[in-house]
Amino acid sequence: MPDKHEHTTTPHGHNQTPHGIAPHAAIAWTDRLWLAAMCLSNGITVAVAMLLTVMFKRFGAGNTATLTHLAWALVPWMMRPLCNMLMRRMGWRKETWLVATEMAMLATIASMAALVGTDYWRPCTTLLLIVMSTCGMIHCVVTESLYKEVTANRYPVPLRPMFMAYHAAALLIGLGLTAMVAGNIEVLTRNIYRAWRIAFRLTAMLYAVLTAYNMWKAWSRRHATYGTDDIYNVASWREMAGAMQLFFGNHSPSIGATFLLLFPLPMGLVTGLSPLFLVDSIHRGGLGLSPQEYGLAGGTVGIIGTAVGCLAYTRLHKHIHFDRLVVPVSLATVLTPLSLLIMSSLEAPSLYAINMCMLTGHAAFGMALAVYVNFLAFYSCGRYKHTFFSTGIAIASLSTAIAYYIAGPLQRSLGYHDYFVAATCSCCVAVAAAVLLKMKCFGNSTTNKHTTHPTNTGHTTGHTAIRHDADSGTHQPYGATDDNTTDKYKNKQKK
């Protein structure tokens, strides 16, 4: 019988605790470098999509058209639950999917750079954005799976601090630094098209380096063996239909699915319009920031604020139960539109005031994002837990796309100031969804020091009010069990 403090070794040679978790510091530096490269590749595509928002506005597109392009880019993410079945039928290795999607995204970024300044750049860029979003969705699924495999840790990947830090670094480079470079080149050359073409080419060169490194790592792992249950857990359309019936409830939409749809809606009303407000001209009600100033305020301070909000929630969640955090965080979401409302009310806000407002608003957004992922990880359990997690991401994408379609025409009719007033009032939807979730699903739960957190192994009394999983028999949160730890989990539940 091994000692309770004894550490074991994973199949990859990593030190492992008795709970099956390999600390990040115990992972080999080559694997940590590969994790960083995968996350940078995953985050730079998101930064490019956000950069295109500013680019469309700089090239004369309206807010409605720009937000419509972004809404179309979210359509592939609504199909994420089908990704697992597609990958199973194709039968490719995870590394093959990783390299193939990165090569496709590299080609789209290079094509975007070549199309800048042409007569047909807008429709072609929108099409390329949809292609890049599709590849990015598949790349995100593979990255999360490989991240869990390399770290030998089944804890939800989006809630890990290093995963957040890597993506924040990718956004700082791909959005903040690239916008500053484009703005400086624009000043030197006095040619807006040439400046953004060079900026996109530099981004493509950086992405090519990451792709080459990931290709080399994939080749070095060509003989590695691993489990594929996390991405190959749905085999047929009938099985997918059964999983969707369990997710949404047998007779009516469950409280959990309702929360997943309504909670991100107010945030979607401001996340897409925020960069457009920052760079729009002053006579139209915007702040009139230059690309360099936007790179500082939106691409640097805003990203840091989002990362700080996510990390702050993860620290709080270690000491405070989820049902005590969900309502206060939903109330804090009002800070995001309120910060934009304050900036629109000031006649000539200084760059320092803009940065403080962006830091506060994005920190609240980061906490809301972490709460959403935390509950989704708790909600995803049982046999189809990975399909449930993908379904929750698809619901969030649908909610955000609906918000984008509403935001453009509404802002054009109301103006920025009145629109942000309406967006601030819409936060009551997120608060109502959080209160309903707490009352219906966590009202009878005991939140003392012995109660486990939603993302840890344990049983919550109100879980049956959210959704009853007939295949699981007991509550098994996302990442709590796999093929190697199921027996350990059941024995712990019996004790």
Side-chain angles (χ1 to χ4, degrees), residues 32-300:
R32 277 186 281 177
L33 186 61
W34 188 39
L35 294 177
M38 284 191 297
C39 294
L40 287 175
S41 301
N42 199 35
I44 285 179
T45 56
V46 179
V48 169
M50 299 173 66
L51 196 65
L52 284 174
T53 305
V54 181
M55 180 179 171
F56 282 137
K57 193 65 179 178
R58 294 283 295 172
F59 288 2
N63 292 349
T64 303
T66 302
L67 292 176
T68 301
H69 297 327
L70 293 179
W72 277 106
L74 291 173
V75 172
W77 288 87
M78 302 177 197
M79 304 292 123
R80 176 166 166 160
L82 303 178
C83 179
N84 297 328
M85 187 166 57
L86 171 67
M87 297 174 71
R88 176 165 184 165
R89 293 194 174 186
M90 293 289 292
W92 293 358
R93 292 173 56 88
K94 297 177 185 179
E95 291 84 354
T96 305
W97 283 108
L98 184 75
V99 174
T101 52
E102 288 185 0
M103 293 180 66
M105 289 187 287
L106 175 61
T108 57
I109 297 174
S111 300
M112 289 177 184
L115 289 169
V116 174
T118 60
D119 296 334
Y120 42 88
W121 71 271
R122 187 182 298 179
C124 292
T125 302
T126 303
L127 181 61
L128 290 173
L129 180 60
I130 296 175
V131 174
M132 186 180 68
S133 180
T134 304
C135 297
M137 179 267 298
I138 300 174
H139 188 275
C140 184
V141 174
V142 177
T143 300
E144 292 176 3
S145 178
L146 288 173
Y147 203 102
K148 286 184 291 186
E149 176 198 343
V150 172
T151 58
N153 187 349
R154 295 294 172 177
Y155 191 80
V157 173
L159 292 175
R160 302 190 196 178
M162 291 307 301
F163 188 82
M164 300 177 188
Y166 291 148
H167 280 77
L171 292 174
L172 288 173
I173 297 172
L175 180 60
L177 183 61
T178 305
M180 293 181 187
V181 169
N184 290 327
I185 298 176
E186 188 177 325
V187 172
L188 294 175
T189 62
R190 300 294 180 181
N191 189 329
I192 184 174
Y193 298 109
R194 184 179 180 183
W196 287 93
R197 188 184 301 116
I198 294 174
F200 267 78
R201 285 177 179 174
L202 292 175
T203 304
M205 292 173 60
L206 174 61
Y207 204 85
V209 173
L210 295 173
T211 302
Y213 179 77
N214 289 331
M215 189 182 301
W216 174 74
K217 286 294 294 184
W219 175 257
S220 63
R221 288 168 49 90
R222 62 188 182 277
H223 300 303
T225 58
Y226 46 79
T228 56
D229 293 338
D230 54 343
I231 58 176
Y232 294 163
N233 60 336
V234 175
S236 62
W237 289 103
R238 177 173 296 181
E239 198 170 0
M240 175 64 71
M244 292 298 101
Q245 186 178 11
L246 286 173
F247 185 91
F248 290 102
N250 294 324
H251 304 290
S252 60
S254 61
I255 301 297
T258 304
F259 173 83
L260 294 175
L261 178 64
L262 296 181
F263 188 79
L265 190 61
M267 292 292 100
L269 293 175
V270 294
T271 53
L273 200 63
S274 175
L276 302 177
F277 167 68
L278 294 178
V279 301
D280 206 352
S281 58
I282 297 177
H283 70 274
R284 293 180 180 175
L287 297 182
L289 298 184
S290 64
Q292 299 95 316
E293 293 172 331
Y294 172 77
L296 175 62
T300 303

Side-chain angles (χ1 to χ4, degrees), residues 344-359:
S344 65
S345 301
L346 299 176
E347 185 173 351
S350 63
L351 188 59
Y352 175 79
I354 294 174
N355 287 332
M356 290 298 101
C357 290
M358 293 296 293
L359 182 64

